[in-house]
């Protein structure tokens, strides 16, 4: 039944807007709207259990994976969160005793954000959730198809990063 309505929706888009099914699917993939719906549903229990926001959980996972690239600037460089949000999230995570900050020995302006032992259980749950998401997304996708997807996504990400940098340079010139 859902397939019928989805096909009807695509036909309506194609007739009324000149949008092809592939355009619509690519748009959904690039914007990540369908992926976000699934992720938000799955992450809700974690949010409630630990009293964290979605962004807090994303930042926590970044810190877990980032190694020595663990400053607020490193998080900011991803362009996923504003500097203000990162600051608020770091404060929340510190209040929950999930992270702590230490000054960089070489450059005292930077603070390295470190995980506490309390973060371990949360990160196990986040990692399991992300594994579930990966299993859902890549169900039936071959290794070769994944390799192509990763190559293309790297190029798309580089194009986006380049466009953002060019836009920032234009603003700086004003």
């Amino acid at each position: 039944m859902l397939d019928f309505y989805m096909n009807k929706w695509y036909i309506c888009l194609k007739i009324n807007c000149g949008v092809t099914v592939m355009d619509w699917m690519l748009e959904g993939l690039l914007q990540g709207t369908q992926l976000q719906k699934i992720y938000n549903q799955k992450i809700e229990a974690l949010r409630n259990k630990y009293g964290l926001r979605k962004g807090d959980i994303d930042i926590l996972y970044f810190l877990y994976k980032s190694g020595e690239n663990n400053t607020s600037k490193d998080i900011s460089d991803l362009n996923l969160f504003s500097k203000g949000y990162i600051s608020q999230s770091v404060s929340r995570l510190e209040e929950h005793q999930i992270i702590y900050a230490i000054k960089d020995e070489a450059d005292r302006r930077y603070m390295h954000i470190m995980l506490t032992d309390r973060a371990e259980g949360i990160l196990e749950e986040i990692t399991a959730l992300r594994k579930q998401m990966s299993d859902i997304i890549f169900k039936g996708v071959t290794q070769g198809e994944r390799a192509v997807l990763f190559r293309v996504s790297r190029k798309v990400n580089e194009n986006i990063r380049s466009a953002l940098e060019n836009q920032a340079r234009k603003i700086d010139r004003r």
Side-chain angles (χ1 to χ4, degrees):
M1 188 63 123
L2 183 60
D3 287 339
F4 169 78
Y5 287 113
M6 292 303 290
N7 287 334
K8 189 175 178 181
W9 175 255
Y10 287 136
I11 291 167
C12 178
L13 279 172
K14 187 171 183 173
I15 292 170
N16 295 327
C17 305
V19 176
T20 66
V21 171
M22 184 57 79
D23 292 340
W24 190 249
M25 291 171 72
L26 180 60
E27 187 70 24
L29 182 61
L30 288 174
Q31 290 185 11
T33 51
Q34 293 170 328
L35 178 61
Q36 281 299 319
K37 279 184 185 178
I38 294 170
Y39 183 64
N40 289 340
Q41 288 170 357
K42 292 196 170 287
I43 206 167
E44 189 65 26
L46 273 176
R47 291 181 62 229
N48 292 333
K49 183 176 180 179
Y50 295 106
L52 299 172
R53 295 184 181 178
K54 179 189 166 295
D56 300 341
I57 292 170
D58 293 339
I59 288 171
L60 187 59
Y61 188 73
F62 169 82
L63 292 169
Y64 173 63
K65 293 299 222 176
S66 68
E68 293 184 16
N69 300 318
N70 58 0
T71 66
S72 291
K73 181 178 180 347
D74 294 323
I75 300 168
S76 176
D77 287 346
L78 292 175
N79 292 319
L80 298 177
F81 306 103
S82 70
K83 290 177 183 177
Y85 185 85
I86 294 167
S87 177
Q88 291 173 2
S89 180
V90 166
S91 292
R92 255 189 312 278
L93 292 168
E94 282 179 318
E95 286 172 16
H96 285 87
Q97 299 176 338
I98 298 170
I99 62 167
Y100 64 97
I102 59 172
K103 287 188 178 177
D104 186 288
E105 302 244 345
D107 189 342
R108 303 297 245 171
R109 294 175 296 172
Y110 290 102
M111 299 291 285
H112 290 278
I113 305 167
M114 311 300 288
L115 301 171
T116 67
D117 291 341
R118 190 174 219 171
E120 190 174 316
I122 301 169
L123 287 164
E124 285 176 9
E125 292 183 59
I126 295 169
T127 302
L129 175 100
R130 292 180 80 89
K131 168 83 170 82
Q132 286 177 1
M133 291 293 299
S134 181
D135 291 346
I136 290 168
I137 294 166
F138 291 114
K139 181 181 177 184
V141 179
T142 67
Q143 289 297 328
E145 291 168 333
R146 287 181 189 198
V148 170
L149 176 63
F150 291 137
R151 278 196 308 274
V152 171
S153 65
R154 267 191 225 108
K155 288 179 182 180
V156 169
N157 276 327
E158 185 54 41
N159 292 341
I160 292 168
R161 183 177 300 271
S162 177
L164 287 170
E165 288 170 359
N166 289 338
Q167 187 175 4
R169 280 194 287 271
K170 286 179 185 176
I171 291 170
D172 288 343
R173 288 184 203 147
R174 291 181 187 167

